[in-house]
Amino acid sequence: MKSTLFASSALMLALLVAGCGDKKSADVDVIRIGSVAPLTGPQAHLGKDNENGARLAVEEINAGGLVLNGRKVRLELIGEDDHAEPKTATIVAQKLVDQGVKAVIGHLNSGTTIPASKIYHDAGIPQISPSATAIAYTAQGYKTAYRVMTNDEQQGKVLGEYATGPLGARRIAVIDDRTAYGQGLADEFEKAARAAGAEIVAREFTNDRATDFAAILTNIKGKSPDLVFFGGMDPQGGPMAKQMKRLGVNARLLGGDGLQNANFIKLAGADAEGVIASSPGLPIDSMPGGAAFREDFEAKYGVIQVYAPYAYDAVYVLVSAMIRANSAEPAKVLAELPNTDHNGVTGPIRFDHKGDTLGGAVTLYQVKDGAWQVLETVKR
Amino acid sequence: MDILTQQLINGLVLGSIYALVALGYTMVYGILELINFAHGEVTMIGAMVALTVIGLLLGMAPELPGLMVVFSGLLVAIPACMALAFAIEKVAYRPLRRAPRLAPLITAIGVSIILQNVAMLVWGRQYVAFPAILPQGQYEVFGAHITDLQLVIVALSLTTMAGLWLLVERTRLGRAMRATAQSKEVAALMGVNVDRVISATFVIGAAIAAIAGVMVSAYYGLAHYHMGFLLGLKAFAAAVLGGIGNIAGAMLGGLLLGIIEALGAGYIGDLTGGFLGSHYQDVFAFFVLILVLVFRPSGLLGERVANRA
């Protein structure tokens, strides 16, 4: 008993001393910001990319020394893993809210961003998604929901017009991965393609865990389309391009930003040649700060997958609103976010009344000689 | 017609992969009545190890013939998986052999999660691409496309299954396995080293899993630390469909499941006028599974309990 008493008083003493030590750094306020993306599972490479983009911005801002309301502030990024699952997304969102984060950068997928946005809205915390593109996200009327990327309506329309215009497709097969992103993009594409007079000869579906598309591609082959559109991500798109070639489907593969990344080419190998995909915004090397960003990012984390520049910009958009509000209080930051006018790595960022980006562009790329080459940039 | 032929070929290739993985589930279940949920992950480790070896070989000697490189990868992956399965059985399952049946089942799920995370740490979150070094020959049969790789997959699967059948039915080890499946105690009294037989079962299943893992990654052109999960689940469903614990049943279940999936996904949209689409692919396969379980709870070939191994 005595020894326990001794131990506990020693512990108390140690805590006191430690407490005194902390005093020195106590004039720095720590502001927690959440970053949510799938860090495990098939899209883990994309999720880590988002988190790294946000982390790079946070480290730069901390190194530069942020001062709000006369007090030194240090940002702390809390990275969470939502497994790209809507169910996990809400659990993780609640966890962040309970931890007292002042804002959230995320999530990566539309399917996770949308259910989580209700939790952030109820808690009154600003949410800026770097990569969720589904229309539904900002159509809910939440004053907390923002994104720094072109939405599916804008991108799908450009893709639909490009397929029927310059590519001259008349018989089109559409596949989507049944996620909020893939389905939304495919629906908008289909709408635009139909409006331009193309015939949708097949509408097939897969999921974001699948690798075998032989069955649906064989069915599509029987309808002899001249173009196949896929709304989904590279882990599916890569094998799909391979299997199209293997099954002798003589149609061009077209996709959205989920395919337009380095990993797609790696997975599809030689069969990636000729595939066309779009990406919101300018090509990274045409971005105002693209080259510098690439250099900084690659020095720390390796190759950029897709959305890292957007996550990076999202942090800067958030912090610039904090600086204008001279506070990190969510309510004050939310009042300032609509006034955003930030010249980011991905281009100028301004928001409309829903929280979508204004202006901007969609760029179309094609794989030539094993690399994505810019075809053209469509300004909206 | 050419579409139907193509769908049958698609299903056959997919099914022979399912069948190979299903064998591992069914062999272990036959002997221990344990569903070894870590088996899908052993398949994944096989693919990852093989890909690592292939990458190293290509780095050192890019002029080597592709077939030889892949074969060397397989030759390293097989013993690696065998050692892994041996260790898993010894560490995770053997201490629980007399525990209630739920305990080793939960341990199996735990092992599966551990293996996934270890693989994520070792090989990263990235998809690892399978280099395009295999011959890419293509043939047209009745308007359907068949590749060299598909022929090799089906041929190798059938050979492996035949080899396993011979092993179980015609060798001393096979007889010991069948005896252990019927009764561990009596087999032990007859001089069978039960522990060694159980180890052998795990190790043989793992060797087959390694072959399946390399085939899957070569066929789809990728490997990923997460790939074993769904593959394992489907193969488990195939094993149950055929009658778990029955080797012929696992083969039949695997092939059937592959063909059902291909035909289901290929035709469901057209047959229902677009009301149901190909996103019901997995539902279709599992619906058939439920039907079989309701009307034939022991699976298609499950009644020959005495003969299982």
Side-chain angles (χ1 to χ4, degrees):
Chain A
M1 198 63 207
K2 230 175 214 162
S3 64
T4 337
L5 194 69
F6 175 76
S8 53
S9 40
L11 191 70
M12 290 273 276
L13 196 70
L15 280 176
L16 271 174
V17 173
C20 289
D22 261 0
K23 271 267 161 59
K24 254 182 241 158
S25 56
D27 35 273
V28 176
D29 289 348
V30 172
I31 294 177
R32 292 176 158 183
I33 299 176
S35 160
V36 195
L39 302 177
T40 53
Q43 293 176 25
H45 58 299
L46 300 176
K48 198 67 192 170
D49 191 51
N50 274 25
E51 191 186 295
N52 287 340
R55 198 170 292 285
L56 185 64
V58 163
E59 283 171 3
E60 280 177 16
I61 292 164
N62 282 339
L66 179 63
V67 177
L68 293 178
N69 204 12
R71 288 181 64 79
K72 271 193 186 162
V73 166
R74 191 170 62 81
L75 300 177
E76 185 190 344
L77 192 74
I78 302 180
E80 288 286 353
D81 178 9
D82 67 13
H83 305 181
E85 287 168 7
K87 180 180 67 191
T88 316
T90 56
I91 297 170
V92 169
Q94 190 58 51
K95 190 172 154 198
L96 285 173
V97 168
D98 294 346
Q99 282 179 314
V101 297
K102 300 289 186 204
V104 171
I105 307 297
H107 301 195
L108 187 150
N109 311 80
S110 297
T112 52
T113 305
I114 296 167
S117 65
K118 165 130 185 24
I119 292 169
Y120 302 129
H121 171 254
D122 292 350
I125 293 174
Q127 174 189 16
I128 307 178
S129 172
S131 47
T133 51
I135 302 159
Y137 170 49
T138 49
Q140 303 171 101
Y142 293 161
K143 291 292 162 217
T144 46
Y146 288 86
R147 68 173 127 223
V148 290
M149 179 172 272
T150 322
N151 73 23
D152 289 339
E153 189 179 0
Q154 300 158 336
Q155 197 184 170
K157 195 158 169 274
V158 169
L159 280 165
E161 285 164 0
Y162 194 79
T164 47
L167 295 180
R170 284 287 156 265
R171 296 172 60 79
I172 299 177
V174 179
I175 309 173
D176 77 62
D177 68 357
R178 293 281 97 184
T179 62
Y181 160 72
Q183 194 178 344
L185 187 66
D187 285 348
E188 291 303 323
F189 169 85
E190 189 178 331
K191 224 187 276 171
R194 270 190 208 282
E199 189 191 347
I200 306 298
V201 294
R203 183 75 204 250
E204 296 287 349
F205 312 94
T206 178
N207 64 63
D208 61 350
R209 300 273 195 273
T211 47
D212 189 291
F213 312 101
I216 56 176
L217 288 174
T218 302
N219 189 24
I220 282 174
K221 188 188 170 194
K223 312 239 165 94
S224 53
D226 41 30
L227 185 131
V228 175
F229 178 83
F230 176 54
M233 311 298 284
D234 54 288
Q236 282 67 48
M240 190 179 286
K242 276 198 150 165
Q243 290 167 40
M244 275 176 72
K245 195 61 69 68
R246 185 191 295 157
L247 291 166
V249 181
N250 290 318
R252 187 188 292 285
L253 180 64
L254 177 71
D257 52 306
L259 300 193
Q260 204 276 306
N261 56 43
N263 210 41
F264 173 79
I265 298 178
K266 221 175 78 189
L267 293 180
D271 298 333
E273 272 322 283
V275 172
I276 297 178
S278 66
S279 194
L282 297 166
I284 185 155
D285 292 314
S286 312
M287 290 175 181
F293 175 81
R294 185 194 287 277
E295 201 169 293
D296 291 349
F297 189 91
E298 289 184 349
K300 270 195 163 138
Y301 308 111
V303 66
I304 299 172
Q305 295 291 338
V306 222
Y307 307 124
Y310 292 90
Y312 177 86
D313 274 358
V315 172
Y316 271 101
V317 163
L318 176 73
V319 170
S320 67
M322 285 179 177
I323 292 171
R324 285 196 303 279
N326 203 15
S327 163
E329 275 318 300
K332 292 182 185 164
V333 174
L334 280 174
E336 278 298 334
L337 271 173
N339 306 326
T340 294
D341 188 359
H342 176 69
N343 273 318
V345 165
T346 59
I349 297 169
R350 284 175 297 130
F351 296 120
D352 68 5
H353 64 283
K354 286 191 297 189
D356 283 332
T357 52
L358 279 171
V362 174
T363 306
L364 288 143
Y365 300 80
Q366 183 169 31
V367 182
K368 279 183 198 145
D369 305 324
W372 288 105
Q373 312 277 349
V374 177
L375 280 179
E376 65 174 287
T377 299
V378 183
K379 296 261 192 256
R380 293 184 289 110
Chain B
M1 186 59 210
D2 52 338
I3 297 297
L4 180 66
T5 319
Q6 184 74 62
Q7 293 290 26
L8 285 173
I9 292 171
N10 296 343
L12 193 66
V13 177
L14 189 63
S16 38
I17 294 172
Y18 287 160
L20 274 194
V21 185
L23 284 174
Y25 279 99
T26 229
M27 282 168 63
V28 168
Y29 187 87
I31 286 194
L32 285 182
E33 301 200 351
L34 161 73
I35 296 163
N36 179 15
F37 275 114
H39 190 64
E41 270 61 47
V42 175
T43 312
M44 175 270 293
I45 299 275
M48 288 299 199
V49 169
L51 267 176
T52 309
V53 174
I54 290 170
L56 283 177
L57 277 180
L58 285 181
M60 288 188 304
E63 70 281 356
L64 282 176
L67 216 55
M68 206 177 105
V69 174
V70 174
F71 194 66
S72 324
L74 189 62
L75 279 188
V76 179
I78 290 177
C81 283
M82 290 166 101
L84 178 70
F86 182 79
I88 292 174
E89 195 272 329
K90 196 133 198 169
V91 173
Y93 302 144
R94 188 169 297 180
L96 292 172
R97 198 170 291 160
R98 296 193 182 282
R101 279 178 61 185
L102 209 52
L105 185 73
I106 292 168
T107 315
I109 296 172
V111 172
S112 148
I113 294 172
I114 291 172
L115 287 180
Q116 271 186 42
N117 283 285
V118 167
M120 187 179 86
L121 290 174
V122 175
W123 288 285
R125 295 176 159 89
Q126 289 275 356
Y127 276 76
V128 186
F130 196 96
I133 48 173
L134 287 173
Q136 300 276 339
Q138 262 202 11
Y139 312 97
E140 230 178 283
V141 184
F142 304 120
H145 287 250
I146 304 178
T147 61
D148 278 339
L149 189 58
Q150 286 174 318
L151 289 176
V152 170
I153 287 178
V154 174
L156 197 57
S157 294
L158 293 177
T159 319
T160 311
M161 291 184 220
L164 183 70
W165 185 82
L166 279 179
L167 179 100
V168 170
E169 297 292 331
R170 293 286 141 88
T171 64
R172 276 179 72 89
L173 177 63
R175 199 188 309 152
M177 284 164 82
R178 282 179 287 141
T180 310
Q182 286 182 14
S183 167
K184 283 197 275 290
E185 288 75 17
V186 178
L189 288 176
M190 298 299 141
V192 174
N193 186 338
V194 172
D195 279 345
R196 191 182 293 166
V197 168
I198 291 174
S199 276
T201 310
F202 272 86
V203 164
I204 293 167
I208 299 173
I211 298 175
V214 175
M215 287 192 331
V216 171
S217 58
Y219 187 44
Y220 296 117
L222 51 82
H224 190 244
Y225 76 89
H226 205 260
M227 66 185 269
F229 181 73
L230 196 63
L231 181 66
L233 218 56
K234 291 270 179 72
F236 170 63
V240 174
L241 180 64
I244 192 153
N246 182 302
I247 287 182
M251 300 179 203
L252 181 69
L255 291 173
L256 266 182
L257 194 71
I259 290 169
I260 290 169
E261 263 194 24
L263 292 182
Y267 288 102
I268 190 169
D270 292 350
L271 288 180
T272 59
F275 176 64
L276 296 176
S278 43
H279 44 312
Y280 285 87
Q281 175 170 7
D282 294 347
V283 178
F284 212 79
F286 286 107
F287 182 68
V288 173
L289 178 68
I290 291 172
L291 279 188
V292 169
L293 286 183
V294 166
F295 293 106
R296 257 191 100 82
S298 54
L300 292 175
L301 300 182
E303 80 282 4
R304 288 164 58 212
V305 176
N307 218 358
R308 75 187 173 192

